[in-house]
């Protein structure tokens, strides 16, 4: 991917900001209950001040409107640093949902706070342990101009901190997106912690007041596509970080008087992983560009990129742990944290099997 001048500046900014502000030590602190929040508040504030939280918000609402390729550059750094922030849920999924499906008043109400970082948005669509967006039991009921939502959503990323939920519910016989304020008396949030220390929640809606997001019939697909493309880039960044750390270890660790990086078997495996990462990154960038261009096959490209990136991240994590030896599974090394995030991010919005199956269906198989 050849970045234009604006994108290259953003890539450099993101790399510097995350290198300076993000640390696996913060994840360790949050995991151990030694942090005052369940996400990296200092990093999030730095992202706000740098304008990254408004990267997909139109300029009219205080954002930069740089497109998904640019957002992917940020996502790649979140993967490299295992950053715990609401970037995916709010700056990407929330901004896409409100920006593409909300009418003018809804955009005015919520897009500005998203860009300012004062509003955290959580996407609530799944109702089981696996991602099946078409299986929606949650119901939307309309009485005059009033709409209420009833149902339960599981494993809602950033749910405990959300001020607004974007919820899928059945309406007129098909799924649609609705916005529900977290402060509504009909909303019950039960916090859970995922294996990768991400903040999640099971959320119940009991006749909660809702606003329908219906300015664009394709918005639901757009939100899912944007999220999967972001996760593909995050997984690429994660894979690169594991690869870099593992290479460093191979040049330092000695066995039989030799650095283990001198062993040909490990060199072959490292070379194979390097090629897989390059291919996955190229596919992810192509998918992001297809989304921005509104390409007819954008969905297929995104599904392929997410599936490939998920497989590559799991390979990178497995190789990283094994090349570190038994110590790779201990908290003394960070590799185990990357392995947990690889698994969780691969599952989010559809694992490799899900994406591969949907890709095949789209191709007519």
């Amino acid at each position: 991917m050849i970045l234009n001048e604006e994108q290259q500046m953003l890539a450099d900014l993101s790399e510097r900001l995350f290198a300076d502000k993000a640390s696996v030590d913060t994840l360790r602190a949050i995991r151990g209950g030694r942090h005052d929040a369940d996400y990296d508040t200092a990093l999030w504030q730095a992202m706000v001040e740098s304008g990254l939280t408004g990267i997909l918000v139109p300029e009219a609402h205080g954002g930069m409107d740089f497109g998904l390729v640019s957002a992917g550059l940020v996502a790649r750094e979140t993967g490299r640093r295992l950053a715990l922030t609401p970037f995916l849920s709010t700056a990407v999924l929330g901004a896409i949902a409100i920006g593409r499906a909300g009418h003018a008043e809804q955009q005015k109400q919520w897009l500005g706070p998203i860009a300012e970082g004062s509003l955290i948005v959580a996407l609530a669509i799944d109702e089981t342990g696996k991602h099946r967006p078409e299986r929606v039991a949650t119901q939307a009921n309309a009485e005059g101009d009033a709409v209420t939502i009833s149902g339960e959503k599981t494993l809602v990323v950033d749910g405990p901190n959300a001020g607004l939920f974007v919820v899928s519910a059945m309406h007129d016989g098909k799924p649609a997106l609705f916005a529900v304020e977290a402060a509504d008396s009909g909303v019950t949030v039960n916090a859970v912690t995922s294996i990768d220390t991400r903040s999640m929640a099971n959320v119940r809606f009991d006749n909660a007041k809702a606003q329908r997001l219906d300015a664009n019939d394709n918005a639901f697909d757009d939100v899912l596509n944007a999220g999967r493309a972001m996760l593909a880039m995050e997984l690429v960044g994660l894979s690169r970080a594991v690869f870099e750390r593992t290479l460093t270890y191979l040049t330092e660790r000695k066995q039989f008087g030799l650095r283990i990086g001198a062993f040909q078997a490990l060199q072959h495996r490292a070379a194979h992983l390097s090629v897989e990462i390059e291919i996955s990154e190229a596919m992810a960038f192509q998918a992001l560009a297809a989304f921005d261009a509104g390409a007819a096959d954008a969905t297929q490209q995104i599904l392929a990129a997410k599936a490939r990136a998920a497989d590559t991240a799991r390979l990178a994590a497995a190789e990283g742990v094994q090349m570190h030896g038994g110590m790779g599974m201990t908290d003394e090394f960070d590799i185990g944290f990357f392995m947990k995030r690889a698994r969780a991010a691969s599952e989010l919005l559809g694992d490799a099997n899900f994406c591969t199956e949907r890709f095949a269906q789209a191709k007519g198989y």
Side-chain angles (χ1 to χ4, degrees):
M1 182 73 183
I2 299 176
L3 304 177
N4 60 35
E5 182 178 357
E6 189 176 74
Q7 291 167 338
Q8 188 60 58
M9 290 175 62
L10 180 62
D12 294 340
L13 168 65
S14 298
E15 185 173 2
R16 291 195 305 270
L17 186 147
F18 279 82
D20 181 47
K21 298 293 185 180
S23 170
V24 180
D25 290 339
T26 304
L27 184 150
R28 289 178 180 273
I30 294 173
R31 180 171 177 262
R34 303 186 306 276
H35 197 270
D36 57 1
D38 55 9
Y39 67 97
D40 192 336
T41 51
L43 174 59
W44 184 242
Q45 184 57 39
M47 294 174 71
V48 171
E49 293 170 358
S50 299
L52 300 183
T53 52
I55 198 166
L56 294 177
V57 174
E59 293 182 17
H61 297 288
M64 298 189 293
D65 198 16
F66 274 2
L68 216 62
V69 170
S70 296
L73 298 171
V74 181
R76 184 172 60 179
E77 293 303 316
T78 68
R80 287 185 65 192
R81 307 291 176 177
L82 289 184
L84 291 170
T85 74
F87 179 76
L88 174 64
S89 60
T90 301
V92 177
L93 299 175
I96 292 288
I98 304 301
R100 297 208 172 192
H103 56 64
E105 281 301 312
Q106 292 168 334
Q107 292 178 3
K108 181 179 179 181
Q109 181 180 2
W110 292 315
L111 286 179
I114 287 175
E116 295 167 359
S118 60
L119 174 66
I120 292 178
V121 182
L123 180 66
I125 56 172
D126 286 317
E127 301 182 1
T128 65
K130 297 290 285 186
H131 177 63
R132 296 293 183 268
E134 71 282 355
R135 298 180 185 175
V136 181
T138 301
Q139 294 290 326
N141 301 302
E143 294 184 7
D145 293 333
V147 179
T148 59
I149 294 286
S150 293
E152 189 167 357
K153 300 294 183 178
T154 61
L155 303 177
V156 178
V157 178
D158 292 316
N161 303 303
L164 182 73
F165 291 99
V166 174
V167 187
S168 62
M170 295 300 294
H171 188 260
D172 292 335
K174 61 181 180 179
L177 290 178
F178 296 83
V180 179
E181 298 278 359
D184 188 274
S185 60
V187 178
T188 303
V189 178
N190 296 309
V192 296
T193 303
S194 68
I195 190 174
D196 60 336
T197 318
R198 257 57 181 184
S199 174
M200 289 183 155
N202 295 326
V203 185
R204 182 162 187 81
F205 303 94
D206 294 301
N207 293 317
K209 297 178 182 177
Q211 296 185 41
R212 183 169 181 181
L213 303 172
D214 59 358
N216 181 351
D217 290 337
N218 297 321
F220 197 1
D221 290 336
D222 289 344
V223 171
L224 294 178
N225 280 337
R228 289 168 186 151
M230 285 298 102
L231 286 164
M233 279 300 288
E234 181 184 341
L235 287 164
V236 166
L238 181 152
S239 300
R240 282 204 179 279
V242 172
F243 182 64
E244 291 163 1
R245 288 166 179 261
T246 302
L247 283 185
T248 299
Y249 186 76
L250 292 179
T251 62
E252 296 173 348
R253 174 67 172 166
K254 288 186 176 181
Q255 283 282 15
F256 312 111
L258 296 173
R259 290 183 175 85
I260 60 175
F263 300 146
Q264 192 174 57
L266 296 183
Q267 292 176 357
H268 288 170
R269 288 163 62 178
H272 173 235
L273 178 56
S274 176
V275 171
E276 292 297 310
I277 293 171
E278 292 296 333
I279 294 172
S280 292
E281 185 170 61
M283 290 179 66
F285 267 125
Q286 183 171 305
L288 294 167
F291 183 96
D292 283 341
D297 65 343
T299 296
Q300 296 172 33
Q301 291 196 46
I302 289 169
L303 289 168
K306 173 67 160 53
R308 182 59 182 258
D311 282 342
T312 298
R314 293 183 69 175
L315 174 64
E319 291 285 54
V321 167
Q322 189 164 24
M323 290 186 192
H324 277 78
M327 296 184 70
M329 287 299 295
T330 68
D331 276 2
E332 182 177 346
F333 287 90
D334 295 336
I335 294 298
F337 297 131
F338 285 92
M339 180 180 67
K340 293 180 178 70
R341 179 54 185 166
R343 187 59 180 265
S346 296
E347 289 284 340
L348 190 59
L349 300 184
D351 61 12
N353 290 334
F354 174 93
C355 292
T356 301
E357 180 182 4
R358 295 302 173 93
F359 176 86
Q361 292 173 355
K363 286 290 190 180
Y365 291 107

